Amino acid sequence: MKACAAVLTEFNRPLDLREIAAPVLGAGQLLVEILAAGVCGSDVHMWRGKDPRTPLPIILGHEGVGRVVDVRGPRCDVYGAPVSPGDRIIWERGVACGRCYACAVLHQPSLCENRWAYGIHRSLHDEPHLNGCYASHIILDARTDLVPLLPDDDPSLLVAASCSGATAAHTFDLVETRVGDTVVVFDLSKGRGADLVIEASGSISAAEEGLDLVRRGGALALVGFGTPVGAMSLLPFEQVVQRNVQFQGVWVSDLRHLLRAMSVLRAYANDLSGLVTRRCSLAQATEALEAVESRRALKVVLVPSGSDD
Amino acid sequence: MKACAAVLTEFNRPLDLREIAAPVLGAGQLLVEILAAGVCGSDVHMWRGKDPRTPLPIILGHEGVGRVVDVRGPRCDVYGAPVSPGDRIIWERGVACGRCYACAVLHQPSLCENRWAYGIHRSLHDEPHLNGCYASHIILDARTDLVPLLPDDDPSLLVAASCSGATAAHTFDLVETRVGDTVVVFDLSKGRGADLVIEASGSISAAEEGLDLVRRGGALALVGFGTPVGAMSLLPFEQVVQRNVQFQGVWVSDLRHLLRAMSVLRAYANDLSGLVTRRCSLAQATEALEAVESRRALKVVLVPSGSDD
Amino acid sequence: MKACAAVLTEFNRPLDLREIAAPVLGAGQLLVEILAAGVCGSDVHMWRGKDPRTPLPIILGHEGVGRVVDVRGPRCDVYGAPVSPGDRIIWERGVACGRCYACAVLHQPSLCENRWAYGIHRSLHDEPHLNGCYASHIILDARTDLVPLLPDDDPSLLVAASCSGATAAHTFDLVETRVGDTVVVFDLSKGRGADLVIEASGSISAAEEGLDLVRRGGALALVGFGTPVGAMSLLPFEQVVQRNVQFQGVWVSDLRHLLRAMSVLRAYANDLSGLVTRRCSLAQATEALEAVESRRALKVVLVPSGSDD
Amino acid sequence: MKACAAVLTEFNRPLDLREIAAPVLGAGQLLVEILAAGVCGSDVHMWRGKDPRTPLPIILGHEGVGRVVDVRGPRCDVYGAPVSPGDRIIWERGVACGRCYACAVLHQPSLCENRWAYGIHRSLHDEPHLNGCYASHIILDARTDLVPLLPDDDPSLLVAASCSGATAAHTFDLVETRVGDTVVVFDLSKGRGADLVIEASGSISAAEEGLDLVRRGGALALVGFGTPVGAMSLLPFEQVVQRNVQFQGVWVSDLRHLLRAMSVLRAYANDLSGLVTRRCSLAQATEALEAVESRRALKVVLVPSGSDD
């Protein structure tokens, strides 16, 4: 079978549309047709050469929803049900080892030192080659966690759960919040400051400003930083100690966060129908990256087959 | 009745030993003979003029253990038992309003915006004048929380629960720890870094170093900062986000922390018998401050009556 | 000034509509016109003589929203702003002592052994007599926590935050939940059982059934029990230990829960506009109790003035 | 190679000492010489036929410490270091699948529906036959988590971390405790009741009594129940709701708990040197079970080789 992929071969240059022969599946692997691939801000960083992890050439894309084409051997989803050709699925983008200290003792696979993610760590040369979502097809590893879609799920909307949604959900594992807390909504906070400020832009000035917006005893979560940005300065006594503030880094996410993000997207599917402001073909992948970089679009999704149904 | 106090009248000058007439007690107030007064690092900061809150002239000393001499009206301890002359007690050094947002909603009286502490916020001119522990007697407010001592309690040891011990205990409300966690013990951490680093020296370089000693997913608690120390610099991506670190300010403490610190000091009383390395009279208060400043002593305690029994 | 109240003088008999002279306000007290009084299931228990706490004669009603008519001395709301005649307010229905072990150490004023609540613990004979919300006016104690209403707030809707809403919010302090958790929604739980089952009916059979609906590692919160109901039976090994279940009692609430419940009611005000299915005058108070008892109505509110604006 | 094992072939009968040929190791398996095998209360239940899971014939023993004799292929311990013949190790007694909802989403492998434990779930007929610790040797599966011993570790003491210690440590994941909390120590609790009562005997009357000993807002953890014991009765209003009590089942444990239990045993090794009151040979295994059953011994350990060094 021939797959088609948008390949990053040189930083800052247009992605290259290529035909790639799909290899024979190994034990436990799945061949999946991509129904929707999210374009994430960190894809832009990789394209621009700002992420030191990027191995070239690479098929970008760590956010994906797809339809199973083939499975080698029995595979079950996270609920224990068998997965078969024709099933629509989403998957945990990161694959953790399950045996290291972070996985087996801390129960935080997002901190696994052997963790790798589709579209980020494996180049086009690494087997089984189809390792990213900017493609007509992807091959999922035997250790990838699979989650079934419901009949009403919209792949283009749900794909946002994969990385950005799940990372946001991770925040709530690290920062205690309660129903009714003020989350960066200052006009309602009666001058108290926010219970929780989520820094999601990846800019140092926003982090510095956010620290002042937190109430005494509240928290600032740094969620938006995906690549090095240099140093920031803070006043440990005045801004952190005397105000009893929690300053919390949030690093990627794991399957539990993906499921939570899916729950939220499903519950508010109607309200969020305008979230995806642009759908592109694979040939338009470079334009999609530019649209995200220039913030002209809210959420951009690649639809390789021309339809995400 | 005449009380005797070591009064700070001018920064950086020796404390002045004065006789002060004890006023008639107001409703709910207690007159307490000081059995032991702890000399805290922040007393040194106040003496040196580095704490902008310091009102002159002032009787320093926020850590105290004493014996009740007189009570105006019925008063109960935190367990609901009446308090009478002759009883040995320790008390929560901070007095919170109980009605503001921090007190009544957050349940964090340590963040009360109306909070004041003995030996810190009220000058010798403020009624009832005997507002600090560097004295033969102190007058406790009707809103001060009282805790009874047990017959075996050593006032000079237990006084450490009042501020330093309670603030350390507060850390464990803010940073989740588990039995067996590694707390700044690196040789045993097998290169993983510490689960929790407690910065207790109040120095910026120690805070910066501490951040690198925390394991991924661990926490750095800033406990030692009591006065402004300028800015520190950190790398939000490399040190905080990518390592999923919690950077937590810890500000003073409340009654629950005092009780926890007392439990620990009681449980390890034998092991800690060497903690108090110096006992001084009131006339030696200035020397006591110098000993703490120069770190020549571990814990210094004033014993106004010459005996802490 | 003359107030009007529906008084319970004898169990199981119609409430008695009486005129009561409002006394002169004591220091810190407020006279408040009731705009809306919620009819709670536990009011029905008190009316039926099933709650051993009930002192007769009594003005029932612990859920209230009102407009300040008079204040004796300066009073502030929980945000520190002064409260004046004309202000619309809601208040914490329970008054805790602030000094006992539960208040000052555990920071759980809902467990205060000296706690009392309007409409429950104080009879018509106890000063200042106007101690319940089934009346044209109530007198609030100097120690009652006050919360201002926003201009758009609907008193009849918001009154549900006072007891039922706040007690539900209390559950989330005691049982850890996460965004996306399944809360008694079984069709979506894929056979795993619910993450959290909230027993809100106060019936033993529902509690027993609920225990089986919880997933392994999940929680059953008992929220609905307000009066003794006898014994229930459970299998400690099969239902609790082997399934690692948390079985959690939830007792009343405090100010923090009131604020959280208000936030939720405000956020979903449009969706909840049909929640109040019946508004009654004071003269209809007995009918209101009957409607709640027979479950003919969802939420019943008394509107003493004929209008809750 | 020939191993020797004490085999349970018929309930309530003496264990049968047999010679068993060790099979060739499969990929990732380890052959381990048992240095110490703990005799757990649930071994007695299995011997007496009270545990419905017991497959006959079986080598009992889920608590073990040993020395590696052979490894098939590269294996690492939980810190990432390679494991070689001669190394002394302890291991997580339960093997979880890592992929089900409990493992991958809840991060609670102790609730894994595919979990099995050495000495409990696999009979002597199941490959690789040496599946329990009452033997000279055990074969550990490729998915078993391995933890290295330190040079000073005493196998007979540390073996207690494997099941009883780890299950106790699990309690502290499920019930929030703080430094200084009163854990079933009533004389110090000033009539408040205990913050936490741990029911560790597996008797219903103790659970019922324990519920009354918990303070308001405290917790009762059921840790001791390993097999069905029938029903218990409680008053949901008086004992649970009105007292705001958490009633928490604790089911087995995972690797994180094993490590915590090891930390505690190491920290208090001197104080706990008298914990192991009896060491038996394999031939004395039946006597060891009787000693545990009759509570004549505190902790009984089998030492197959005659020495645990």
Side-chain angles (χ1 to χ4, degrees):
Chain A
M1 202 212 71
K2 293 285 187 188
C4 182
V7 180
L8 172 62
T9 52
E10 196 176 339
F11 297 127
N12 297 305
R13 303 280 302 164
L15 304 192
D16 189 11
L17 208 62
R18 292 198 195 167
E19 219 178 60
I20 296 161
V24 173
L25 294 180
Q29 289 184 337
L30 298 96
L31 179 70
V32 175
E33 178 195 357
I34 296 288
L35 295 175
V39 179
C40 182
S42 53
D43 294 345
V44 176
H45 288 129
M46 295 176 75
W47 177 45
R48 290 304 187 191
K50 291 181 184 161
D51 186 335
R53 297 174 293 185
T54 316
L56 296 184
I58 186 171
I59 304 174
L60 292 176
H62 49 275
E63 298 186 347
V65 166
R67 182 183 283 112
V68 178
V69 174
D70 197 9
V71 195
R72 171 88 184 282
R75 282 296 303 274
C76 290
D77 65 28
V78 68
Y79 303 111
V83 171
S84 311
D87 292 349
R88 297 194 311 165
I89 57 170
I90 189 171
W91 53 91
E92 166 53 35
R93 71 196 188 288
V95 181
C97 74
R99 313 226 67 85
C100 70
Y101 194 87
C103 286
V105 180
L106 301 178
H107 298 318
Q108 292 183 279
S110 54
L111 298 181
C112 170
E113 54 201 55
N114 305 309
R115 181 183 181 273
W116 61 272
Y118 292 99
I120 294 178
H121 297 84
R122 301 199 161 176
S123 84
L124 179 61
H125 296 323
D126 295 320
E127 294 197 332
H129 312 301
L130 294 171
N131 297 320
C133 299
Y134 284 21
S136 64
H137 295 77
I138 192 169
I139 292 178
L140 299 182
D141 187 89
R143 294 190 56 80
T144 298
D145 294 308
L146 311 174
V147 184
L149 258 58
L150 297 175
D152 286 346
D153 284 333
D154 171 2
S156 291
L157 178 60
L158 222 56
V159 82
S162 185
C163 171
S164 27
T167 305
H170 189 184
T171 306
F172 297 93
D173 267 9
L174 299 169
V175 177
E176 191 183 32
T177 51
R178 302 291 185 183
V179 165
D181 273 4
T182 302
V183 180
V184 225
V185 182
F186 311 116
D187 53 343
L188 287 178
S189 70
K190 301 244 167 202
R192 285 184 302 110
D195 297 289
L196 168 63
V197 173
I198 298 180
E199 203 302 298
S201 72
S203 99
I204 282 187
S205 62
E208 289 171 343
E209 185 184 349
L211 198 50
D212 288 327
L213 294 172
V214 179
R215 72 158 166 81
R216 295 188 81 197
L220 170 68
L222 301 185
V223 180
F225 293 89
T227 44
V229 288
M232 74 176 277
S233 174
L234 54 78
L235 298 169
F237 177 72
E238 293 86 345
Q239 292 185 298
V240 180
V241 175
Q242 196 177 24
R243 298 176 60 239
N244 212 131
V245 159
Q246 178 183 358
F247 183 80
Q248 177 71 53
V250 181
W251 181 242
V252 304
S253 61
D254 69 48
L255 180 63
R256 69 158 64 187
H257 311 117
L258 170 60
L259 290 194
R260 285 184 203 147
M262 290 173 68
S263 285
V264 172
L265 288 172
R266 282 166 171 166
Y268 296 93
N270 286 336
D271 302 322
L272 293 172
S273 58
L275 182 71
V276 179
T277 53
R278 188 158 177 186
R279 283 176 174 75
C280 299
S281 69
L282 273 190
Q284 296 168 308
T286 310
E287 290 169 51
L289 288 167
E290 286 168 346
V292 170
E293 184 177 41
S294 65
R295 305 190 184 222
R296 287 196 311 272
L298 208 55
K299 182 73 190 175
V300 179
V301 172
L302 299 184
V303 185
S305 68
S307 155
D308 59 5
D309 289 338
Chain B
M1 202 211 71
K2 293 287 187 187
C4 182
V7 181
L8 172 62
T9 53
E10 196 176 340
F11 296 128
N12 297 305
R13 303 280 302 164
L15 303 192
D16 188 11
L17 207 62
R18 291 200 198 168
E19 219 178 59
I20 296 161
V24 173
L25 295 180
Q29 288 184 338
L30 298 97
L31 179 70
V32 175
E33 177 195 357
I34 295 289
L35 294 176
V39 179
C40 182
S42 53
D43 294 344
V44 175
H45 288 129
M46 295 177 74
W47 177 44
R48 290 302 186 193
K50 292 182 183 160
D51 185 336
R53 298 173 293 186
T54 315
L56 297 183
I58 186 171
I59 304 174
L60 292 176
H62 48 276
E63 299 187 347
V65 166
R67 181 183 284 113
V68 177
V69 173
D70 198 8
V71 195
R72 171 87 185 282
R75 283 296 303 275
C76 289
D77 64 29
V78 69
Y79 303 111
V83 170
S84 312
D87 292 350
R88 297 194 309 166
I89 57 170
I90 190 171
W91 52 91
E92 167 52 36
R93 71 194 188 287
V95 181
C97 75
R99 313 227 67 84
C100 70
Y101 193 87
C103 285
V105 179
L106 300 179
H107 298 318
Q108 292 183 281
S110 54
L111 297 181
C112 170
E113 53 201 55
N114 306 308
R115 180 182 181 274
W116 62 271
Y118 293 98
I120 295 178
H121 297 85
R122 301 201 161 173
S123 85
L124 180 61
H125 296 325
D126 294 320
E127 293 197 335
H129 313 300
L130 295 170
N131 296 321
C133 299
Y134 284 21
S136 64
H137 295 78
I138 192 169
I139 292 178
L140 299 183
D141 187 89
R143 294 189 57 80
T144 297
D145 294 308
L146 310 174
V147 184
L149 258 58
L150 296 175
D152 286 345
D153 284 333
D154 170 1
S156 291
L157 177 61
L158 222 56
V159 82
S162 186
C163 170
S164 29
T167 304
H170 189 183
T171 306
F172 298 93
D173 266 10
L174 299 169
V175 176
E176 191 182 33
T177 51
R178 302 291 185 182
V179 166
D181 273 5
T182 301
V183 180
V184 225
V185 182
F186 310 116
D187 52 344
L188 288 178
S189 70
K190 301 241 167 206
R192 285 183 304 110
D195 298 288
L196 167 63
V197 173
I198 298 180
E199 201 304 294
S201 71
S203 99
I204 283 186
S205 63
E208 289 172 343
E209 184 184 351
L211 198 50
D212 287 328
L213 294 174
V214 179
R215 71 157 166 81
R216 295 188 81 197
L220 170 68
L222 300 185
V223 180
F225 293 89
T227 45
V229 288
M232 73 178 276
S233 174
L234 53 79
L235 299 169
F237 178 72
E238 293 86 344
Q239 292 184 299
V240 180
V241 174
Q242 196 177 24
R243 298 177 61 238
N244 212 131
V245 159
Q246 178 183 358
F247 184 80
Q248 176 71 53
V250 181
W251 182 241
V252 304
S253 61
D254 70 47
L255 180 63
R256 70 157 65 188
H257 311 116
L258 171 60
L259 291 194
R260 285 183 204 149
M262 290 173 68
S263 285
V264 172
L265 287 172
R266 282 168 171 165
Y268 297 93
N270 286 335
D271 302 322
L272 295 171
S273 58
L275 183 71
V276 180
T277 52
R278 189 158 175 185
R279 285 176 172 75
C280 299
S281 70
L282 273 190
Q284 296 168 307
T286 311
E287 290 168 50
L289 289 167
E290 286 167 344
V292 170
E293 185 176 39
S294 64
R295 303 188 185 223
R296 287 195 310 271
L298 208 55
K299 181 72 188 176
V300 178
V301 172
L302 300 184
V303 185
S305 68
S307 156
D308 59 4
D309 290 337
Chain C
M1 202 212 70
K2 292 287 187 186
C4 181
V7 180
L8 172 61
T9 53
E10 196 175 339
F11 296 128
N12 298 306
R13 303 278 304 164
L15 304 192
D16 188 11
L17 208 61
R18 292 200 197 167
E19 220 178 57
I20 296 161
V24 174
L25 295 180
Q29 289 184 337
L30 298 95
L31 179 69
V32 175
E33 178 195 356
I34 296 289
L35 296 176
V39 179
C40 182
S42 54
D43 294 344
V44 176
H45 288 129
M46 294 177 75
W47 176 44
R48 290 302 187 193
K50 292 181 183 159
D51 186 335
R53 297 173 294 185
T54 315
L56 296 184
I58 186 171
I59 305 174
L60 292 177
H62 49 275
E63 297 187 347
V65 166
R67 182 184 284 112
V68 178
V69 174
D70 197 8
V71 195
R72 171 87 184 281
R75 283 295 303 275
C76 289
D77 64 28
V78 69
Y79 303 111
V83 170
S84 310
D87 292 350
R88 297 194 310 166
I89 57 170
I90 189 170
W91 52 91
E92 166 53 35
R93 71 196 188 286
V95 180
C97 75
R99 315 226 67 84
C100 70
Y101 194 86
C103 286
V105 180
L106 301 178
H107 299 317
Q108 292 182 282
S110 54
L111 297 181
C112 170
E113 54 201 54
N114 305 309
R115 181 183 181 274
W116 62 272
Y118 293 99
I120 294 179
H121 298 85
R122 300 200 163 176
S123 85
L124 180 61
H125 296 324
D126 294 320
E127 295 198 334
H129 313 300
L130 294 171
N131 296 321
C133 299
Y134 284 21
S136 65
H137 295 78
I138 192 169
I139 292 178
L140 299 182
D141 187 89
R143 294 189 56 80
T144 298
D145 294 307
L146 310 174
V147 184
L149 259 57
L150 296 176
D152 286 347
D153 284 334
D154 170 2
S156 291
L157 178 60
L158 222 55
V159 81
S162 185
C163 171
S164 27
T167 304
H170 189 183
T171 305
F172 298 93
D173 266 10
L174 299 168
V175 176
E176 191 183 32
T177 51
R178 301 292 185 181
V179 165
D181 273 4
T182 302
V183 180
V184 226
V185 182
F186 312 115
D187 52 345
L188 288 177
S189 70
K190 301 240 167 204
R192 285 183 302 110
D195 297 288
L196 168 63
V197 173
I198 298 179
E199 202 304 295
S201 72
S203 99
I204 282 186
S205 62
E208 289 172 342
E209 185 185 350
L211 198 50
D212 288 328
L213 294 172
V214 179
R215 71 157 166 81
R216 294 188 81 197
L220 171 68
L222 301 185
V223 180
F225 293 90
T227 44
V229 288
M232 73 177 277
S233 175
L234 53 79
L235 298 169
F237 178 72
E238 293 86 344
Q239 292 185 299
V240 180
V241 175
Q242 196 177 23
R243 298 176 60 240
N244 213 129
V245 159
Q246 178 184 359
F247 183 80
Q248 177 71 53
V250 181
W251 181 243
V252 305
S253 61
D254 69 48
L255 180 63
R256 69 158 64 187
H257 311 117
L258 172 60
L259 291 193
R260 286 185 202 147
M262 291 173 68
S263 285
V264 172
L265 288 171
R266 282 167 170 165
Y268 296 93
N270 287 335
D271 302 324
L272 293 171
S273 59
L275 182 72
V276 180
T277 53
R278 188 157 178 187
R279 284 174 172 75
C280 299
S281 69
L282 273 189
Q284 296 167 308
T286 310
E287 290 169 50
L289 288 167
E290 286 167 344
V292 170
E293 184 176 40
S294 65
R295 306 192 182 219
R296 288 195 310 272
L298 209 54
K299 181 74 188 177
V300 179
V301 172
L302 299 185
V303 185
S305 68
S307 156
D308 60 4
D309 290 338
Chain D
M1 203 212 68
K2 292 287 188 188
C4 181
V7 181
L8 172 63
T9 52
E10 195 176 340
F11 296 128
N12 297 305
R13 301 281 301 165
L15 303 192
D16 187 12
L17 207 62
R18 291 199 197 169
E19 219 178 59
I20 297 161
V24 174
L25 295 180
Q29 289 183 339
L30 299 95
L31 178 71
V32 175
E33 177 195 356
I34 296 288
L35 295 176
V39 178
C40 181
S42 54
D43 294 345
V44 176
H45 289 128
M46 296 177 75
W47 177 44
R48 290 302 186 194
K50 291 181 183 159
D51 186 335
R53 296 173 294 185
T54 314
L56 296 183
I58 186 171
I59 304 175
L60 293 177
H62 48 276
E63 298 187 347
V65 165
R67 181 184 284 111
V68 178
V69 174
D70 198 7
V71 195
R72 172 89 184 281
R75 281 296 303 275
C76 290
D77 65 29
V78 69
Y79 303 111
V83 171
S84 311
D87 291 351
R88 297 195 310 166
I89 58 170
I90 190 170
W91 52 90
E92 166 53 36
R93 71 195 188 286
V95 181
C97 76
R99 314 227 66 84
C100 70
Y101 193 86
C103 286
V105 180
L106 300 179
H107 299 318
Q108 294 183 280
S110 53
L111 298 180
C112 170
E113 54 201 56
N114 305 308
R115 180 182 181 276
W116 62 271
Y118 293 99
I120 294 178
H121 298 85
R122 301 200 161 176
S123 85
L124 180 61
H125 295 324
D126 294 321
E127 294 197 334
H129 313 301
L130 295 171
N131 296 320
C133 298
Y134 284 21
S136 64
H137 296 78
I138 192 169
I139 292 178
L140 299 181
D141 187 89
R143 294 190 56 79
T144 297
D145 294 308
L146 310 174
V147 183
L149 258 58
L150 296 176
D152 286 346
D153 284 334
D154 170 3
S156 291
L157 177 60
L158 222 56
V159 82
S162 186
C163 171
S164 28
T167 304
H170 189 183
T171 306
F172 298 92
D173 267 9
L174 298 168
V175 176
E176 190 183 34
T177 51
R178 301 292 185 181
V179 166
D181 272 5
T182 302
V183 180
V184 225
V185 182
F186 311 116
D187 53 343
L188 288 177
S189 71
K190 301 242 165 203
R192 285 183 303 110
D195 297 287
L196 167 63
V197 174
I198 298 179
E199 203 303 295
S201 71
S203 100
I204 282 187
S205 62
E208 288 172 344
E209 184 185 350
L211 198 50
D212 288 329
L213 294 173
V214 179
R215 72 158 166 80
R216 295 188 79 197
L220 171 67
L222 301 184
V223 181
F225 293 90
T227 45
V229 288
M232 73 178 276
S233 174
L234 53 78
L235 299 169
F237 179 72
E238 294 86 344
Q239 292 184 298
V240 180
V241 175
Q242 196 177 23
R243 298 176 59 240
N244 212 131
V245 159
Q246 178 183 358
F247 183 81
Q248 176 70 54
V250 181
W251 182 241
V252 304
S253 61
D254 69 47
L255 180 63
R256 70 158 64 188
H257 311 117
L258 171 60
L259 291 194
R260 286 184 203 147
M262 290 173 68
S263 285
V264 172
L265 288 172
R266 282 167 171 166
Y268 296 93
N270 286 335
D271 302 323
L272 294 171
S273 57
L275 183 71
V276 180
T277 52
R278 189 158 176 185
R279 285 174 171 75
C280 300
S281 69
L282 273 188
Q284 296 168 307
T286 310
E287 290 168 51
L289 289 167
E290 286 168 345
V292 170
E293 186 177 39
S294 65
R295 304 188 185 221
R296 287 196 310 271
L298 208 55
K299 181 74 189 176
V300 178
V301 172
L302 299 184
V303 185
S305 68
S307 155
D308 60 4
D309 289 336

